[in-house]
Amino acid sequence: MLVLPKESRKLFKGPFGILHRDISTVLPELAGRTVYTVGDVVTHTLQKNGITPSIAVVDGQTMRSPCSRMPEFSGECIRVENPAGTITDDLVKALTYAINHTPVTIVVNGEEDLAVIPLVIAAPEAAVVLYGQPHKGIVLRTIDAGAKAAAQELLGLFVRVGA
């Protein structure tokens, strides 16, 4: 399991992509693209707008409280453990599997926020990853070599714990 040290957490507070204040500005950018989501609210909001993500990573929470807008599960459902502040090997395996077996909903027991990092690394170029930025909007990250390099750099801040 990879653990994010406390001193590095501040580096993850800003958006890892382009911040959109409203879903209406995101929707035109999704046409013809493979879409992946991380977060219950952003997944639910896309589904409400007629878009089912190829991969949705959810945890039943929004801002550390139970989510009242649960998305519908699409395709195969994989359940994984992923404590807050970590990226578990099981989460990475589930994401890697999901890339090749869409549609998949990954239900995380713990916290899904950091799944954006391994998802960007695993995703094919030209796909998009969307996630919510609390109280600010939706972050859209288009997958390209720069996104993958930035995600690898962030992943390098984690410390491996255990076998």
Side-chain angles (χ1 to χ4, degrees):
M1 157 173 26
L2 297 172
V3 177
L4 182 62
K6 288 186 187 205
E7 62 271 11
S8 297
R9 291 184 184 174
K10 65 184 175 295
L11 300 172
F12 289 77
K13 296 293 182 200
F16 183 61
I18 298 170
L19 178 64
H20 293 261
R21 300 270 179 224
D22 188 84
I23 190 68
S24 64
T25 62
V26 173
L27 295 173
E29 302 213 26
L30 305 181
R33 294 199 163 165
T34 301
V35 178
Y36 305 126
T37 58
V38 176
D40 297 72
V41 174
V42 71
T43 302
H44 172 80
T45 302
L46 274 187
Q47 288 174 338
K48 196 170 84 175
N49 282 277
I51 297 172
T52 299
S54 295
I55 298 172
V57 184
V58 298
D59 67 359
Q61 302 280 311
T62 183
M63 294 186 288
R64 313 246 192 281
S65 297
C67 185
S68 62
R69 293 177 280 179
M70 282 296 291
E72 293 187 26
F73 292 175
S74 177
E76 187 175 352
C77 182
I78 301 172
R79 296 183 183 276
V80 298
E81 299 285 327
N82 195 79
T86 71
I87 297 173
T88 61
D89 294 340
D90 285 344
L91 175 61
V92 173
K93 286 178 193 166
L95 291 167
T96 302
Y97 173 85
I99 294 288
N100 298 308
H101 298 88
T102 60
V104 174
T105 301
I106 299 172
V107 179
V108 174
N109 182 21
E111 190 174 271
E112 93 285 64
D113 300 7
L114 295 173
V116 169
I117 303 304
L119 183 54
V120 167
I121 293 168
E125 293 208 9
V128 295
V129 174
L130 298 171
Y131 69 92
Q133 186 81 21
H135 306 294
K136 297 200 168 132
I138 298 168
V139 177
L140 180 146
R141 185 65 189 229
T142 301
I143 307 303
D144 59 17
K148 289 178 176 286
Q152 275 299 154
E153 190 173 319
L154 289 172
L155 193 64
L157 299 171
F158 287 75
V159 175
R160 180 157 292 280
V161 175

